[in-house]
Amino acid sequence: MNIFEEDLNDTITFWEKIKNIFRGKSLWMLHYCTGCGAVELPPTMTARYDMERLGMGPMATPRQADVLLITGYLSVKTLRRVIYTYEQMMTPKYVVGFGSCTLNGGIYYDSYAVINRLDYYIPVDLYLAGCMPRPEAIMNTFKTLENMITKGEANGWKKYVENYDWYRNNQIRSLGEVYVKDEFHE
Amino acid sequence: MNSTNDTKELISILEQSFDIKDFTTPKKNEISIVVDQNNVPTILTYLKDKGWKQLSLVTCIDWIEENKFELAYVLFNWTNGITFLVKTKIDRKNPEYISIIDIFPGARYYERDIHEFFGVKFEGNSDFEKPLFLELWDDKPPMRKDFDPLEYSKRKFPDRKYDVELSKNAVKEVIKEGEINERT
């Protein structure tokens, strides 16, 4: 831990640093498996790789989760639910995009149902290379994310608040007015 | 029970009473017939009576050069395990057809599916116009052959920009530098 003397005088920075260290050490990720990258998560969680030793665990509800994993391609219909889920999460919240589909659409670049680029709609803190990523890559990414949070570099949630109009306009451009219509629960 | 004899008999009856344009057996235990569009409900009722009680699938094929939509009804018989395909062609410009939900109620959702992806209207199905999969769709039905998904994707979803020329120049410069180093 690097605590410098000038930090002790600057209370906000100091306590923010302490908070960031705690935030980085206990990550609860939301299991909203949107695409094929999610199949690599079970081996990462189970005995061989055992992701819990890094202080990460699965969490079922958005309100208690810290990390949202977008594991692969996102259809337009799913993106609407993902935005709701993301907005339900408490700050600070972080987004990790898996594979090429979240970056530029991947093999779905000309699909009418799949979005091309995730970071137009929600801010992405970290991209994870590989299609699909190996468990080692996932562990590496989470270690990187942990370091980023500890240093205070994972600021996607702040960006989302500051540039909300821009994100909102992009969402409306691709999705139309955002609302969920579900005839089975009418 | 010998199922092959039964089906031969059935085919001969069908050929006598209806105008069957084509009859093939694409696979073992699979019979496919092409019929006139007016005969489809009668044939489906007849086949349901004969044991083809399950409607496995209703689907549509776009033959854009012929200017036709082909509707395919896949029926399954649980007693002898024979699949029956009933196909018919309808006009592509103004696609309308009769709903078969009176014969097979499960066709309700298949018809909604076909209306959404191909734009075929089904007379007699009360909610074929309700959207099922695509939310807020604002283009021509996406499974038609003349629908251009890339154009739609470019219009609807913003693309990531890559500076191709810049990267090409960078590669050329690296190669030039390498050549110079080799000479010296």
Side-chain angles (χ1 to χ4, degrees):
Chain A
M1 246 190 290
N2 297 323
I3 299 171
F4 300 105
E5 241 177 71
E6 57 261 37
D7 288 342
L8 292 167
N9 301 326
D10 189 351
T11 49
I12 300 167
T13 332
F14 175 72
W15 285 115
E16 199 64 32
K17 276 190 177 179
I18 298 286
K19 269 190 205 167
N20 280 337
I21 288 161
F22 289 142
R23 282 166 183 166
K25 295 292 174 199
S26 67
L27 288 173
W28 281 0
M29 56 187 194
L30 182 63
H31 256 229
Y32 189 98
C33 298
T34 48
C36 28
V39 292
E40 295 292 341
L41 284 170
T44 321
M45 269 181 247
T46 43
R48 186 167 177 188
Y49 294 99
D50 191 17
M51 99 187 343
E52 234 170 86
R53 70 200 153 91
L54 296 183
M56 300 180 308
M59 169 47 67
T61 57
R63 284 185 207 282
Q64 275 80 28
D66 303 306
V67 189
L68 178 61
L69 304 179
I70 307 295
T71 52
Y73 70 91
L74 257 184
S75 73
V76 178
K77 217 170 172 178
T78 319
L79 178 65
R80 192 164 292 152
R81 276 77 179 171
V82 164
I83 289 165
Y84 287 142
T85 315
Y86 181 73
E87 287 182 355
Q88 276 182 53
M89 285 165 70
M90 308 275 269
T91 52
K93 49 194 172 183
Y94 314 101
V95 180
V96 176
F98 279 44
S100 57
C101 292
T102 50
L103 195 67
N104 56 12
I107 58 168
Y108 303 105
Y109 71 101
D110 66 343
S111 171
Y112 57 86
V114 176
I115 57 154
N116 272 345
R117 185 179 164 170
L118 179 62
D119 54 6
Y120 269 139
Y121 309 99
I122 51 174
V124 181
D125 293 296
L126 202 57
Y127 284 109
L128 169 48
C131 179
M132 300 170 277
R134 292 279 306 150
E136 293 93 330
I138 297 174
M139 303 281 274
N140 186 37
T141 307
F142 275 102
K143 202 67 201 161
T144 315
L145 183 70
E146 207 180 298
N147 290 340
M148 278 170 74
I149 294 166
T150 317
K151 286 176 195 162
E153 289 169 359
N155 286 326
W157 55 283
K158 281 182 191 165
K159 272 190 220 161
Y160 190 70
V161 177
E162 284 163 13
N163 308 317
Y164 184 70
D165 290 335
W166 185 78
Y167 283 110
R168 174 88 185 158
N169 281 336
N170 286 335
Q171 289 165 9
I172 287 175
R173 178 187 165 181
S174 296
L175 303 177
E177 198 58 49
V178 180
Y179 74 103
V180 167
K181 190 181 168 302
D182 187 353
E183 72 172 81
F184 294 102
H185 298 107
E186 269 169 9
Chain B
M1 191 177 93
N2 194 346
S3 61
T4 48
N5 283 344
D6 274 12
T7 47
K8 273 177 189 169
E9 208 179 296
L10 186 82
I11 293 298
S12 65
I13 293 169
L14 281 175
E15 279 177 340
Q16 280 164 22
S17 37
F18 302 106
D19 173 30
I20 292 173
K21 288 171 186 167
D22 191 20
F23 161 71
T24 45
T25 47
K27 278 184 200 167
K28 200 192 163 197
N29 281 1
E30 209 171 88
I31 304 163
S32 161
I33 55 171
V34 179
V35 296
D36 190 63
Q37 59 168 314
N38 299 323
N39 291 333
V40 169
T42 345
I43 287 176
L44 290 184
T45 321
Y46 181 74
L47 288 174
K48 191 181 180 183
D49 202 42
K50 287 288 171 195
W52 276 267
K53 285 189 178 159
Q54 182 179 310
L55 179 78
S56 304
L57 182 70
V58 183
T59 188
C60 186
I61 304 121
D62 185 3
W63 298 106
I64 189 166
E65 286 172 2
E66 285 179 49
N67 213 9
K68 295 270 184 192
F69 277 132
E70 185 171 33
L71 290 171
Y73 297 86
V74 184
L75 309 178
F76 188 69
N77 191 339
W78 282 94
T79 43
N80 56 14
I82 293 177
T83 308
F84 215 112
L85 280 86
V86 183
K87 296 183 198 166
T88 183
K89 283 190 178 172
I90 57 169
D91 186 30
R92 193 175 181 280
K93 269 190 183 167
N94 193 13
E96 277 183 33
Y97 199 61
I98 321 149
S99 172
I100 57 152
I101 55 172
D102 297 334
I103 309 159
F104 292 105
R108 182 180 292 269
Y109 285 93
Y110 290 124
E111 285 172 358
R112 284 175 68 177
D113 181 310
I114 293 168
H115 177 257
E116 196 155 325
F117 284 109
F118 293 92
V120 182
K121 289 180 180 172
F122 286 95
E123 209 177 305
N125 187 342
S126 54
D127 46 30
F128 74 89
E129 273 177 322
K130 272 192 198 170
L132 188 61
F133 301 112
L134 308 166
E135 288 177 348
L136 305 166
W137 188 255
D138 56 354
D139 210 307
K140 70 172 77 167
M143 298 296 268
R144 287 191 182 196
K145 289 266 168 71
D146 53 352
F147 170 75
D148 185 0
L150 185 61
E151 186 267 326
Y152 178 84
S153 173
K154 284 237 189 306
R155 176 166 62 83
K156 200 84 177 176
F157 313 126
D159 207 359
R160 191 178 289 277
K161 300 262 186 314
Y162 296 100
D163 207 338
V164 180
E165 290 303 315
L166 198 74
S167 56
K168 270 183 191 170
N169 291 336
V171 171
K172 274 177 194 169
E173 276 170 23
V174 169
I175 291 168
K176 271 181 189 172
E177 277 176 17
E179 281 173 0
I180 291 162
N181 289 341
E182 275 174 19
R183 278 172 203 164
T184 53

